[in-house]
C-alpha cells in the first residue's frame, strides 16, 4: 500500500500522516503539499525522518506534478486534504478556493482514473450541508452550502460524485466537523484566540457568540478518515464527528480560563460573515459507527491540553503570526472592528 496524502503538511493532513504511520506499519506514505501559508514542514519534522515517508512540494492543480508522483511512487491510495479552508479568507477572496477545492479535485480525479488507483478518499466538511436549527444532518441530507468557502468544497464533492457515476472512480468522501488540536494554523476560532490570549490581546467574538459548532480533536478526525479509507464502501460519504456541540461562547470561556484571562478579554464585533454565517452544525455519525469506529478524545480536557500545547510550543506558531501575509490578513479582516484592540 502506498498512500499519497495531499495537503499532508497541513493541520488534519499531518495528523493523518502520524496516524497512518502508526496504524499502517507496512505502508509507504507519500506527501504532496503546496506549502501555502497554512502548510508547514516543521509540523512534520519527525515524520520526514521516517524512511517510509517521501515528501514532494507542489499543487494538486498541477497534473504534471500529480501524475509524476503517481507514476514514480506507484501510489495505490490517495487521501486529499489539500484545500483552502478558512471561511473568513474566502469572504475577502474566493478565487484561490475554487482553484484548489474544485479544480484541484478535478485534477486528482483525472489522475486517479489514468493510473487506476485502488481508492481515492476526499476529505470534505459538514459545512456543505449548510446550517441546521434543530436535529442533525445525515449523509443523505441535501448539499446546501452558504459560504463562499463551503460552496467551493461542495463543488469539489460534486465532481467526485460525478466521477463515481460517470467513470466508476473508486472514490469515497468524508465530511468532518470543526476540528481542534495542536499544529492548527492560528486563524480559526480556537488557535487564533489561544495565541491572542497568550499575548494578552482581546478576542473578537462575532455577534453574541451563540453559534453552535460540533468539535472533534484532530487525532480523532484523522482516525475516522483512516478508518473510512480502510473499511468504507466505495461511492459512499461518511460524516466524521464527535456529537460534541458547543456555542462559541462556551468554547471561549474554557480558553479564557486555561490562559488565565477574564471576560474583559472578549470583544464582541459585528458579524463579518454577514448572512453567510451558519448558525449551527450538527450531524449523525451512525454510518461511520456501523463500520466500527468511535472518537476517543474528551472535549474539555483535550481543549485544555491544546491550550497548554500552544503555551509550550511558541517556537512553532510565533514565526507564523509574524509573517507579512498573516499581519495583512488580520489587519484587513479585523482592523475596522477591533480598532485599537487589533
Ligand atoms: O465545520 C467544519 C469547518 O469548520 C471546516 O470545514 C472549516 O475549514 C473550518 O474553518 C471550520 O469552519 P468555521 O467557519 O466553523 O470555523 P472557524 O474556526 O473559523 O469559526 C468557528 C466559529 O467561531 C464560527 O461561528 C465563527 C466564530 N468566530 C471565528 C473567528 C475566526 C469568531 O467569533 N471570531 C473569530 O475571530
Amino acid at each position: 500500500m502506498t498512500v499519497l496524502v495531499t495537503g499532508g503538511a497541513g493541520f488534519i493532513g499531518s495528523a493523518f500522516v502520524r496516524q497512518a504511520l502508526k496504524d499502517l506499519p507496512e505502508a509507504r506514505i507519500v506527501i504532496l503539499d503546496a506549502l501555502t501559508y497554512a502548510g508547514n514542514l516543521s509540523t512534520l519534522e519527525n515524520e520526514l525522518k521516517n524512511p517510509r515517508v517521501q515528501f514532494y512540494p507542489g499543487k494538486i492543480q498541477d497534473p504534471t506534478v500529480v501524475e509524476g508522483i503517481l507514476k514514480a511512487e506507484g501510489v495505490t491510495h490517495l487521501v486529499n486534504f489539500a484545500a483552502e479552508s478558512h471561511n473568513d479568507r474566502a469572504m475577502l477572496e474566493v478565487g484561490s478556493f475554487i482553484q484548489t477545492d474544485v479544480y484541484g479535485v478535478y485534477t486528482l480525479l483525472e489522475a486517479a482514473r489514468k493510473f487506476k488507483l485502488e481508492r481515492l478518499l476526499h476529505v470534505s466538511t459538514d459545512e456543505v450541508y449548510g446550517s441546521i436549527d434543530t436535529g442533525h444532518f445525515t449523509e443523505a441530507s441535501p448539499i446546501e452550502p452558504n459560504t463562499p468557502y463551503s460552496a467551493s468544497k461542495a463543488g469539489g464533492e460534486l465532481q467526485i460524485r460525478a466521477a463515481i457515476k460517470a467513470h466508476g472512480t473508486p472514490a469515497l468522501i468524508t465530511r468532518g466537523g470543526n476540528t481542534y488540536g495542536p499544529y492548527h494554523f492560528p486563524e480559526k476560532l480556537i488557535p487564533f484566540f489561544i495565541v491572542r490570549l497568550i499575548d494578552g490581546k482581546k478576542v473578537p467574538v462575532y455577534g453574541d457568540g451563540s453559534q453552535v459548532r460540533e468539535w472533534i480533536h484532530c487525532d480523532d478526525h484523522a482516525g475516522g478518515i483512516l478508518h473510512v479509507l480502510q473499511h468504507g464502501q466505495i461511492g459512499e460519504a461518511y460524516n466524521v464527528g464527535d456529537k460534541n456541540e458547543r456555542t462559541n461562547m462556551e468554547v471561549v470561556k474554557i480558553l479564557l480560563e486555561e490562559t488565565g484571562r477574564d471576560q474583559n478579554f472578549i470583544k464582541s464585533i459585528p458579524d463579518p460573515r454577514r448572512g453567510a454565517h451558519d448558525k449551527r452544525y450538527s450531524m449523525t455519525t451512525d454510518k461511520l459507527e456501523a463500520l466500527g469506529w468511535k472518537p476517543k478524545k474528551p472535549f474539555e480536557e483535550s481543549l485544555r491540553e491544546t491550550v497548554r500545547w500552544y503555551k509550550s510550543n511558541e517556537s512553532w506558531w510565533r514565526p507564523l503570526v509574524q509573517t507579512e501575509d498573516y499581519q495583512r490578513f488580520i489587519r484587513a479582516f479585523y482592523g475596522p472592528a477591533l480598532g485599537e484592540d487589533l
Side-chain angles (χ1 to χ4, degrees):
M1 189 177 189
T2 298
V3 187
L4 174 59
V5 184
T6 51
F11 170 46
I12 310 172
S14 60
F16 178 87
V17 168
R18 287 190 287 276
Q19 190 89 34
L21 284 170
K22 210 162 15 129
D23 292 359
L24 305 174
E26 306 291 316
R28 291 187 62 244
I29 308 293
V30 181
I31 301 166
L32 169 64
D33 199 291
L35 299 178
T36 64
Y37 76 92
N40 193 338
L41 276 186
S42 66
T43 304
L44 291 171
E45 208 181 329
N46 292 328
E47 291 69 27
L48 292 176
K49 292 179 197 145
N50 190 316
R52 287 196 287 136
V53 174
Q54 179 66 47
F55 178 82
Y56 291 88
K59 294 182 177 193
I60 57 167
Q61 300 93 291
D62 186 339
T64 314
V65 169
V66 173
E67 293 181 14
I69 294 172
L70 296 193
K71 193 170 172 194
E73 301 287 347
V75 172
T76 54
H77 296 66
L78 192 159
V79 186
N80 179 37
F81 291 90
E84 290 294 336
S85 71
H86 189 34
N87 267 305
D88 294 334
R89 286 194 187 240
M91 291 295 290
L92 299 178
E93 183 277 323
V94 76
S96 57
F97 287 71
I98 293 166
Q99 275 299 321
T100 307
D101 303 356
V102 186
Y103 193 83
V105 172
Y106 150 76
T107 308
L108 297 178
L109 285 167
E110 288 292 289
R113 189 146 67 101
K114 206 159 150 184
F115 286 84
K116 299 191 171 38
L117 293 190
E118 286 175 35
R119 279 184 172 222
L120 182 156
L121 188 153
H122 175 64
V123 177
S124 188
T125 166
D126 61 358
E127 287 198 26
V128 297
Y129 297 123
S131 191
I132 190 164
D133 288 337
T134 55
H136 318 282
F137 291 119
T138 73
E139 289 81 354
S141 300
I143 302 291
E144 290 177 336
N146 294 316
T147 73
Y149 154 69
S150 54
S152 74
K153 287 297 287 183
E157 271 207 29
L158 295 178
Q159 286 303 319
I160 301 266
R161 177 186 155 88
I164 293 167
K165 296 207 182 274
H167 307 301
T169 303
L172 306 98
I173 291 171
T174 56
R175 298 185 183 128
N178 280 61
T179 308
Y180 70 98
Y183 299 111
H184 200 182
F185 186 84
E187 64 183 352
K188 295 181 183 168
L189 178 77
I190 289 178
F192 179 47
F193 280 21
I194 293 174
V195 303
R196 283 185 72 86
L197 291 169
I198 290 176
D199 278 349
K201 292 181 181 161
K202 292 192 178 178
V203 291
V205 171
Y206 302 166
D208 62 3
S210 64
Q211 299 83 4
V212 174
R213 295 291 182 268
E214 204 188 295
W215 294 97
I216 181 167
H217 192 274
C218 58
D219 292 348
D220 279 334
H221 193 164
I225 291 167
L226 184 56
H227 198 85
V228 173
L229 181 70
Q230 293 173 290
H231 305 287
Q233 198 181 320
I234 282 170
E236 294 293 314
Y238 295 86
N239 292 338
V240 184
D242 198 0
K243 295 190 212 140
N244 170 52
E245 293 182 34
R246 305 282 163 145
T247 63
N248 292 342
M249 219 36 126
E250 284 177 85
V251 172
V252 173
K253 282 199 178 121
I254 299 173
L255 301 182
L256 289 174
E257 263 176 46
E258 198 57 40
T259 51
R261 307 291 182 194
D262 62 23
Q263 297 285 330
N264 294 321
F265 282 84
I266 295 179
K267 178 148 181 174
S268 294
I269 64 169
D271 197 333
R273 296 188 186 178
R274 305 186 282 273
H277 195 170
D278 290 327
K279 177 77 185 160
R280 175 174 173 259
Y281 299 139
S282 180
M283 53 185 174
T284 60
T285 49
D286 301 352
K287 196 168 165 182
L288 178 52
E289 280 174 34
L291 294 181
W293 181 84
K294 260 193 170 72
K296 295 188 191 115
K297 295 264 194 177
F299 177 69
E300 188 167 331
E301 201 183 310
S302 309
L303 182 58
R304 289 180 189 278
E305 195 181 287
T306 301
V307 175
R308 292 195 291 274
W309 185 89
Y310 277 85
K311 280 185 179 167
S312 49
N313 285 278
E314 241 186 271
S315 61
W316 181 83
W317 60 265
R318 182 72 64 195
L320 305 178
V321 303
Q322 284 168 343
T323 65
E324 182 48 36
D325 173 78
Y326 186 83
Q327 299 285 339
R328 199 179 318 118
F329 166 68
I330 299 296
R331 273 197 308 272
F333 197 74
Y334 294 101
L338 278 181
E340 61 184 19
D341 291 317
L342 188 64

